[in-house]
Amino acid sequence: MKVTIDAARCQGQGRCFGIAPEIFDFDDLGNGVVIGDGIVDDEELKSKARLAQANCPEHAINIEGN
Amino acid sequence: MTIKPPVGDFATDWDHTDPQWVANPYPIWEDLRGRCPVAHTDRYGGGWFPSTYEGVAAVANDTENFTSRTVVIGNGRPGEDAPPAPIGVAPPISSDPPFHQIARRLILPAFAPGPVNALEPQIRELCNHLLDEMGAGLDINAGDDFAAHIPVWVIAKMLGFPDEDRDLFREFVHIVLEGVDEPQEQRIVSFQPVLDYIERQIEDHVANPRDDLTSYMLNVELPNGDKLLPEHIFGTIILTLIAGIDTTWSAISSSIWHLATHPADLERLVNEPELMPLAVEEFLRFYAPVSMARLVKEDMDYLGCPMKKDDWILLGFPAANRDPAVFENADQFIIDREVNRHVTFGLGIHRCAGSNLARLELRVALEEFIKRFPKFELSDPAAVTFSQGQVRGARFLPLTVLN
């Protein structure tokens, strides 16, 4: 699974790094960023990534693969 | 307060200060979603109220057709007297693109999770201090003696305003947000002490710069190297003061009201503190305090409605949060709800700049409150009051502490 954030959509709602701090961090403006290359293998973390995606009000999180 | 005719049909005559709406707006919104998803009113000079998630999201994300130059609905159309876009009276909330992004980028770093999370120990200490002061008595007022103080303290600290003026800020907030149905001339008179006070604080910061948001605004430069205009600094200070206080206070007090009236949720939260992050998001969804306003830029048909230039749009984020098209069992408070795409902090470019701060204050306030008082109930349910206008929350909240 590869997780990315669409920076043009992200408005810094803060849900992703609240739900899955192992995958998401924030920048100086408080916008979400993906840690590292965004590749997630661990099953538990994958479900956290999906949960973050389902909670993002701006629909800014993209997930490729499963 | 002016005497107004009661609302007969909210679909054609809505009024967000009507006593029915203030007491319990949720059935009204549910009814509107079913038969008239964009309601109209001739009050306030004319306006529209989308009650669905889809309608709210469409307007919030459409800065081409709607302007933010006035975000609090007042009596009458704003007309020529309203400060012009793109800066507006309280940047960046009142700003439109492209200036909006410049004004917003200036303040976002101060409200990013890094600096905000650093305040957690102090907020926790403040909460405990407030709880100590409430004493060991059985009767407490969780609104005035607890919830209200937390954001006031935090905002005074961020702006670098004197601690002892905290009661004044609460009065200012009341003037700006709850006096919306006063005549315009009266509002200008009521507002003067707020202007004078902020002017004095700015002068003091010019003379004695320090490490706070006010001094930062005085020193920071725009990308072109210019300093901020005095009205920009002034406007952002007003915004921080008004938007940072009533809102969070409302979220905290409404959440405590919920716990006082739903003992099973209270018990669960006391016994399973790890639920708090999910519970906080559900409190935010279910008791979202803030509705914003927009103005229609030009005559147009939008969402099937004949909108006119300068018509108000009441952007009901709390109504969107109850839309069953987006939320399963939308009308139920589910303390461990996992999928919760609420729009309590708005959507799009005007996402509440203080959302990280608000979330932190709400979490810490609830954690400390239920640690101190694991069992409580309303001492007089009929006495509880809710604020009117675009920020909704419990105000007078008398509780009895149980053993």
Side-chain angles (χ1 to χ4, degrees):
Chain A
M1 172 190 282
K2 184 173 167 65
V3 181
T4 51
I5 288 181
D6 181 346
R9 294 195 75 96
C10 177
Q11 300 290 350
Q13 295 266 2
R15 301 296 299 281
C16 58
F17 48 80
I19 290 169
E22 305 88 342
I23 303 168
F24 303 98
D25 201 355
F26 48 84
D27 66 14
D28 289 349
L29 298 177
N31 288 328
V33 290
V34 171
I35 298 171
D37 58 8
I39 304 286
V40 181
D41 290 324
D42 180 81
E43 287 304 320
E44 198 179 325
L45 285 185
K46 281 182 185 178
S47 66
K48 276 189 158 191
R50 287 188 203 101
L51 203 53
Q53 184 184 40
N55 277 285
C56 175
E58 310 289 352
H59 298 263
I61 298 172
N62 296 315
I63 294 181
E64 283 172 58
N66 45 37
Chain B
M1 204 187 292
T2 21
I3 304 295
K4 295 190 290 188
V7 170
D9 184 351
F10 281 93
T12 54
D13 186 33
W14 61 262
D15 188 339
H16 60 306
T17 65
D18 184 85
Q20 268 188 76
W21 181 303
V22 173
N24 187 11
Y26 307 108
I28 299 172
W29 300 340
E30 191 184 346
D31 171 54
L32 290 176
R33 269 193 296 274
R35 66 187 174 98
C36 180
V38 186
H40 182 258
T41 190
D42 286 325
R43 297 174 190 235
Y44 305 100
W48 305 88
F49 172 68
S51 52
T52 62
Y53 193 103
E54 194 186 0
V56 169
V59 176
N61 283 315
D62 188 343
T63 55
E64 289 292 312
N65 288 309
F66 302 95
T67 168
S68 284
R69 78 175 196 274
T70 311
V71 291
V72 180
I73 294 177
N75 266 325
R77 300 168 88 84
E80 299 302 313
D81 294 337
I87 299 179
V89 70
I93 202 171
S94 62
S95 312
D96 289 335
F99 183 78
H100 167 269
Q101 192 185 15
I102 297 168
R104 185 170 168 87
R105 274 173 175 268
L106 290 176
I107 61 162
L108 280 182
F111 294 95
V116 163
N117 292 342
L119 290 170
E120 178 168 342
Q122 293 176 70
I123 295 173
R124 205 172 287 283
E125 192 186 326
L126 169 75
C127 290
N128 277 297
H129 171 73
L130 293 169
L131 291 164
D132 289 344
E133 285 204 332
M134 288 163 83
L138 296 180
D139 289 304
I140 55 175
N141 180 358
D144 286 329
D145 295 340
F146 184 69
H149 287 280
I150 298 162
V152 173
W153 181 90
V154 169
I155 294 300
K157 181 168 173 58
M158 285 201 84
L159 289 172
F161 289 4
D163 228 25
E164 59 269 23
D165 294 340
R166 293 187 302 189
D167 284 344
L168 261 181
F169 305 157
R170 288 168 62 177
E171 199 182 309
F172 293 168
V173 171
H174 182 80
I175 291 168
V176 174
L177 290 176
E178 295 208 49
V180 291
D181 54 355
E182 283 185 347
Q184 208 62 278
E185 313 79 63
Q186 178 56 42
R187 293 211 73 192
I188 291 166
V189 174
S190 316
F191 203 62
Q192 196 56 45
V194 185
L195 303 184
D196 294 343
Y197 178 83
I198 293 176
E199 205 59 68
R200 281 200 306 278
Q201 291 304 322
I202 292 178
E203 281 166 20
D204 183 54
H205 278 78
V206 170
N208 310 292
R210 40 211 195 251
D211 182 19
D212 56 35
L213 192 58
T214 305
S215 286
Y216 168 77
M217 296 286 294
L218 285 164
N219 294 322
V220 76
E221 288 176 354
L222 293 168
N224 66 5
D226 288 354
K227 293 276 182 155
L228 305 189
L229 294 170
E231 54 267 36
H232 182 163
I233 297 170
F234 200 90
T236 300
I237 290 174
I238 290 256
L239 169 61
T240 309
L241 200 56
I242 303 304
I245 292 179
D246 213 30
T247 50
T248 314
W249 164 9
S250 295
I252 297 169
S253 59
S254 294
S255 302
I256 294 175
W257 178 83
H258 176 92
L259 293 172
T261 51
H262 297 79
D265 283 339
L266 174 57
E267 195 183 336
R268 205 161 159 212
L269 211 46
V270 168
N271 292 331
E272 301 171 58
E274 67 281 6
L275 276 184
M276 191 55 94
L278 288 179
V280 161
E281 298 307 326
E282 183 67 343
F283 283 124
L284 287 168
R285 179 187 77 89
F286 211 71
Y287 298 103
V290 181
S291 300
M292 277 290 141
R294 298 286 186 267
L295 288 163
V296 175
K297 277 192 189 170
E298 300 294 341
D299 292 5
M300 62 173 172
D301 281 316
Y302 197 91
L303 300 171
C305 300
M307 297 185 178
K308 300 278 176 248
K309 182 178 192 293
D310 286 343
D311 277 355
W312 298 103
I313 307 283
L314 180 61
L315 260 189
F317 299 115
N321 282 350
R322 300 283 189 117
D323 187 344
V326 176
F327 299 94
E328 231 172 278
N329 301 314
D331 59 351
Q332 287 173 39
F333 182 94
I334 300 171
I335 201 162
D336 55 358
R337 186 185 288 274
E338 284 208 313
V339 175
N340 191 349
R341 209 189 287 270
H342 68 74
V343 291
T344 300
F345 295 114
L347 271 178
I349 64 167
H350 288 283
R351 186 267 306 169
C352 169
S355 62
N356 299 301
L357 192 54
R359 197 173 258 129
L360 173 70
E361 289 176 55
L362 177 58
R363 177 172 59 79
V364 172
L366 293 178
E367 282 171 355
E368 295 308 314
F369 193 85
I370 65 172
K371 206 180 288 170
R372 186 74 60 106
F373 303 122
K375 261 184 122 175
F376 53 88
E377 63 183 14
L378 297 181
S379 41
D380 181 3
V384 175
T385 58
F386 283 84
S387 53
Q388 74 161 15
Q390 286 175 228
V391 181
R392 181 173 202 274
R395 284 292 171 273
F396 182 57
L397 187 56
L399 301 180
T400 303
V401 175
L402 305 171
N403 287 318

mmCIF file of all heavy atoms in Angstrom, chain B residues 316-339:
data_model
loop_
_atom_site.group_PDB
_atom_site.id
_atom_site.type_symbol
_atom_site.label_atom_id
_atom_site.label_comp_id
_atom_site.label_asym_id
_atom_site.label_seq_id
_atom_site.Cartn_x
_atom_site.Cartn_y
_atom_site.Cartn_z
ATOM 1 N N GLY B 316 -24.106 26.169 7.676
ATOM 2 C CA GLY B 316 -24.357 25.396 8.890
ATOM 3 C C GLY B 316 -23.512 24.140 8.984
ATOM 4 O O GLY B 316 -23.996 23.038 8.702
ATOM 5 N N PHE B 317 -22.293 24.287 9.431
ATOM 6 C CA PHE B 317 -21.453 23.094 9.617
ATOM 7 C C PHE B 317 -22.101 22.115 10.610
ATOM 8 O O PHE B 317 -22.053 20.898 10.400
ATOM 9 C CB PHE B 317 -20.046 23.494 10.062
ATOM 10 C CG PHE B 317 -19.332 24.353 9.046
ATOM 11 C CD1 PHE B 317 -18.992 25.667 9.340
ATOM 12 C CD2 PHE B 317 -19.033 23.869 7.786
ATOM 13 C CE1 PHE B 317 -18.350 26.474 8.391
ATOM 14 C CE2 PHE B 317 -18.401 24.654 6.841
ATOM 15 C CZ PHE B 317 -18.061 25.962 7.145
ATOM 16 N N PRO B 318 -22.727 22.631 11.687
ATOM 17 C CA PRO B 318 -23.406 21.692 12.606
ATOM 18 C C PRO B 318 -24.529 20.913 11.925
ATOM 19 O O PRO B 318 -24.783 19.760 12.282
ATOM 20 C CB PRO B 318 -23.968 22.610 13.700
ATOM 21 C CG PRO B 318 -23.149 23.856 13.630
ATOM 22 C CD PRO B 318 -22.789 24.025 12.190
ATOM 23 N N ALA B 319 -25.211 21.530 10.959
ATOM 24 C CA ALA B 319 -26.282 20.824 10.242
ATOM 25 C C ALA B 319 -25.685 19.767 9.321
ATOM 26 O O ALA B 319 -26.181 18.637 9.241
ATOM 27 C CB ALA B 319 -27.125 21.815 9.445
ATOM 28 N N ALA B 320 -24.601 20.111 8.625
ATOM 29 C CA ALA B 320 -23.935 19.143 7.751
ATOM 30 C C ALA B 320 -23.523 17.901 8.540
ATOM 31 O O ALA B 320 -23.606 16.774 8.049
ATOM 32 C CB ALA B 320 -22.707 19.790 7.100
ATOM 33 N N ASN B 321 -23.080 18.118 9.776
ATOM 34 C CA ASN B 321 -22.620 17.010 10.627
ATOM 35 C C ASN B 321 -23.723 16.044 11.022
ATOM 36 O O ASN B 321 -23.445 14.979 11.556
ATOM 37 C CB ASN B 321 -22.008 17.564 11.914
ATOM 38 C CG ASN B 321 -20.605 18.088 11.713
ATOM 39 O OD1 ASN B 321 -20.005 17.885 10.659
ATOM 40 N ND2 ASN B 321 -20.078 18.763 12.720
ATOM 41 N N ARG B 322 -24.982 16.433 10.822
ATOM 42 C CA ARG B 322 -26.091 15.554 11.183
ATOM 43 C C ARG B 322 -26.763 14.961 9.940
ATOM 44 O O ARG B 322 -27.865 14.426 10.033
ATOM 45 C CB ARG B 322 -27.142 16.348 11.977
ATOM 46 C CG ARG B 322 -26.639 16.958 13.280
ATOM 47 C CD ARG B 322 -26.523 15.905 14.373
ATOM 48 N NE ARG B 322 -26.245 16.543 15.654
ATOM 49 C CZ ARG B 322 -27.059 16.494 16.708
ATOM 50 N NH1 ARG B 322 -28.194 15.841 16.648
ATOM 51 N NH2 ARG B 322 -26.725 17.082 17.836
ATOM 52 N N ASP B 323 -26.119 15.091 8.789
ATOM 53 C CA ASP B 323 -26.746 14.630 7.547
ATOM 54 C C ASP B 323 -26.603 13.109 7.403
ATOM 55 O O ASP B 323 -25.478 12.600 7.286
ATOM 56 C CB ASP B 323 -26.085 15.341 6.356
ATOM 57 C CG ASP B 323 -26.804 15.047 5.041
ATOM 58 O OD1 ASP B 323 -27.597 14.086 4.996
ATOM 59 O OD2 ASP B 323 -26.555 15.780 4.078
ATOM 60 N N PRO B 324 -27.720 12.390 7.390
ATOM 61 C CA PRO B 324 -27.648 10.927 7.298
ATOM 62 C C PRO B 324 -27.077 10.430 5.965
ATOM 63 O O PRO B 324 -26.706 9.257 5.855
ATOM 64 C CB PRO B 324 -29.104 10.465 7.464
ATOM 65 C CG PRO B 324 -29.949 11.658 7.249
ATOM 66 C CD PRO B 324 -29.109 12.877 7.493
ATOM 67 N N ALA B 325 -26.981 11.306 4.960
ATOM 68 C CA ALA B 325 -26.374 10.884 3.697
ATOM 69 C C ALA B 325 -24.869 10.649 3.861
ATOM 70 O O ALA B 325 -24.248 9.956 3.059
ATOM 71 C CB ALA B 325 -26.627 11.945 2.618
ATOM 72 N N VAL B 326 -24.281 11.219 4.901
ATOM 73 C CA VAL B 326 -22.833 11.103 5.101
ATOM 74 C C VAL B 326 -22.483 10.339 6.377
ATOM 75 O O VAL B 326 -21.466 9.653 6.434
ATOM 76 C CB VAL B 326 -22.180 12.511 5.125
ATOM 77 C CG1 VAL B 326 -20.695 12.433 5.423
ATOM 78 C CG2 VAL B 326 -22.421 13.220 3.783
ATOM 79 N N PHE B 327 -23.327 10.435 7.389
ATOM 80 C CA PHE B 327 -23.012 9.805 8.676
ATOM 81 C C PHE B 327 -24.033 8.710 8.993
ATOM 82 O O PHE B 327 -25.238 8.955 8.936
ATOM 83 C CB PHE B 327 -23.028 10.842 9.803
ATOM 84 C CG PHE B 327 -22.016 11.928 9.609
ATOM 85 C CD1 PHE B 327 -22.376 13.114 8.979
ATOM 86 C CD2 PHE B 327 -20.704 11.757 10.014
ATOM 87 C CE1 PHE B 327 -21.444 14.115 8.774
ATOM 88 C CE2 PHE B 327 -19.759 12.756 9.812
ATOM 89 C CZ PHE B 327 -20.133 13.936 9.187
ATOM 90 N N GLU B 328 -23.499 7.541 9.317
ATOM 91 C CA GLU B 328 -24.376 6.460 9.755
ATOM 92 C C GLU B 328 -24.999 6.836 11.099
ATOM 93 O O GLU B 328 -24.285 7.354 11.974
ATOM 94 C CB GLU B 328 -23.503 5.205 9.958
ATOM 95 C CG GLU B 328 -24.016 3.981 9.257
ATOM 96 C CD GLU B 328 -23.003 2.858 9.351
ATOM 97 O OE1 GLU B 328 -22.056 2.846 8.537
ATOM 98 O OE2 GLU B 328 -23.167 2.018 10.255
ATOM 99 N N ASN B 329 -26.280 6.578 11.255
ATOM 100 C CA ASN B 329 -26.966 6.965 12.503
ATOM 101 C C ASN B 329 -26.584 8.379 12.925
ATOM 102 O O ASN B 329 -26.144 8.629 14.049
ATOM 103 C CB ASN B 329 -26.629 5.983 13.628
ATOM 104 C CG ASN B 329 -27.040 4.568 13.280
ATOM 105 O OD1 ASN B 329 -28.153 4.344 12.800
ATOM 106 N ND2 ASN B 329 -26.146 3.610 13.462
ATOM 107 N N ALA B 330 -26.754 9.293 11.973
ATOM 108 C CA ALA B 330 -26.275 10.665 12.158
ATOM 109 C C ALA B 330 -26.853 11.344 13.394
ATOM 110 O O ALA B 330 -26.198 12.187 14.008
ATOM 111 C CB ALA B 330 -26.607 11.491 10.917
ATOM 112 N N ASP B 331 -28.079 10.962 13.760
ATOM 113 C CA ASP B 331 -28.717 11.637 14.894
ATOM 114 C C ASP B 331 -28.397 10.970 16.227
ATOM 115 O O ASP B 331 -28.947 11.329 17.253
ATOM 116 C CB ASP B 331 -30.239 11.709 14.687
ATOM 117 C CG ASP B 331 -30.856 10.318 14.528
ATOM 118 O OD1 ASP B 331 -30.088 9.327 14.412
ATOM 119 O OD2 ASP B 331 -32.091 10.219 14.520
ATOM 120 N N GLN B 332 -27.486 9.993 16.201
ATOM 121 C CA GLN B 332 -27.089 9.360 17.461
ATOM 122 C C GLN B 332 -25.658 9.726 17.822
ATOM 123 O O GLN B 332 -24.778 9.719 16.960
ATOM 124 C CB GLN B 332 -27.174 7.835 17.338
ATOM 125 C CG GLN B 332 -28.602 7.322 17.322
ATOM 126 C CD GLN B 332 -28.636 5.833 17.029
ATOM 127 O OE1 GLN B 332 -27.787 5.076 17.503
ATOM 128 N NE2 GLN B 332 -29.603 5.427 16.223
ATOM 129 N N PHE B 333 -25.450 10.002 19.109
ATOM 130 C CA PHE B 333 -24.103 10.238 19.616
ATOM 131 C C PHE B 333 -23.471 8.875 19.899
ATOM 132 O O PHE B 333 -23.948 8.129 20.747
ATOM 133 C CB PHE B 333 -24.164 11.062 20.903
ATOM 134 C CG PHE B 333 -22.817 11.384 21.475
ATOM 135 C CD1 PHE B 333 -22.188 12.576 21.174
ATOM 136 C CD2 PHE B 333 -22.168 10.484 22.317
ATOM 137 C CE1 PHE B 333 -20.937 12.879 21.697
ATOM 138 C CE2 PHE B 333 -20.908 10.779 22.841
ATOM 139 C CZ PHE B 333 -20.296 11.981 22.532
ATOM 140 N N ILE B 334 -22.412 8.565 19.159
ATOM 141 C CA ILE B 334 -21.752 7.260 19.326
ATOM 142 C C ILE B 334 -20.314 7.532 19.773
ATOM 143 O O ILE B 334 -19.485 7.987 18.989
ATOM 144 C CB ILE B 334 -21.790 6.453 18.011
ATOM 145 C CG1 ILE B 334 -23.268 6.223 17.616
ATOM 146 C CG2 ILE B 334 -21.025 5.140 18.153
ATOM 147 C CD1 ILE B 334 -23.467 5.630 16.243
ATOM 148 N N ILE B 335 -20.074 7.272 21.038
ATOM 149 C CA ILE B 335 -18.843 7.760 21.674
ATOM 150 C C ILE B 335 -17.581 7.177 21.048
ATOM 151 O O ILE B 335 -16.515 7.781 21.094
ATOM 152 C CB ILE B 335 -18.902 7.527 23.207
ATOM 153 C CG1 ILE B 335 -17.939 8.457 23.927
ATOM 154 C CG2 ILE B 335 -18.669 6.062 23.558
ATOM 155 C CD1 ILE B 335 -18.205 8.616 25.395
ATOM 156 N N ASP B 336 -17.689 5.966 20.435
ATOM 157 C CA ASP B 336 -16.508 5.374 19.804
ATOM 158 C C ASP B 336 -16.666 5.312 18.278
ATOM 159 O O ASP B 336 -16.141 4.407 17.627
ATOM 160 C CB ASP B 336 -16.217 3.987 20.388
ATOM 161 C CG ASP B 336 -17.422 3.061 20.290
ATOM 162 O OD1 ASP B 336 -18.488 3.511 19.801
ATOM 163 O OD2 ASP B 336 -17.307 1.892 20.707
ATOM 164 N N ARG B 337 -17.373 6.272 17.719
ATOM 165 C CA ARG B 337 -17.543 6.350 16.264
ATOM 166 C C ARG B 337 -16.161 6.468 15.600
ATOM 167 O O ARG B 337 -15.393 7.371 15.905
ATOM 168 C CB ARG B 337 -18.388 7.582 15.922
ATOM 169 C CG ARG B 337 -18.759 7.713 14.453
ATOM 170 C CD ARG B 337 -19.492 9.030 14.209
ATOM 171 N NE ARG B 337 -20.848 9.062 14.733
ATOM 172 C CZ ARG B 337 -21.928 8.620 14.073
ATOM 173 N NH1 ARG B 337 -21.803 8.149 12.853
ATOM 174 N NH2 ARG B 337 -23.120 8.678 14.629
ATOM 175 N N GLU B 338 -15.869 5.560 14.688
ATOM 176 C CA GLU B 338 -14.516 5.557 14.092
ATOM 177 C C GLU B 338 -14.448 6.338 12.790
ATOM 178 O O GLU B 338 -13.453 6.995 12.509
ATOM 179 C CB GLU B 338 -14.067 4.110 13.845
ATOM 180 C CG GLU B 338 -13.644 3.408 15.126
ATOM 181 C CD GLU B 338 -12.624 2.320 14.871
ATOM 182 O OE1 GLU B 338 -12.833 1.520 13.945
ATOM 183 O OE2 GLU B 338 -11.614 2.290 15.602
ATOM 184 N N VAL B 339 -15.499 6.235 11.967
ATOM 185 C CA VAL B 339 -15.502 6.989 10.712
ATOM 186 C C VAL B 339 -16.344 8.241 10.944
ATOM 187 O O VAL B 339 -17.545 8.159 11.170
ATOM 188 C CB VAL B 339 -16.058 6.147 9.549
ATOM 189 C CG1 VAL B 339 -16.160 6.988 8.288
ATOM 190 C CG2 VAL B 339 -15.157 4.940 9.320
#
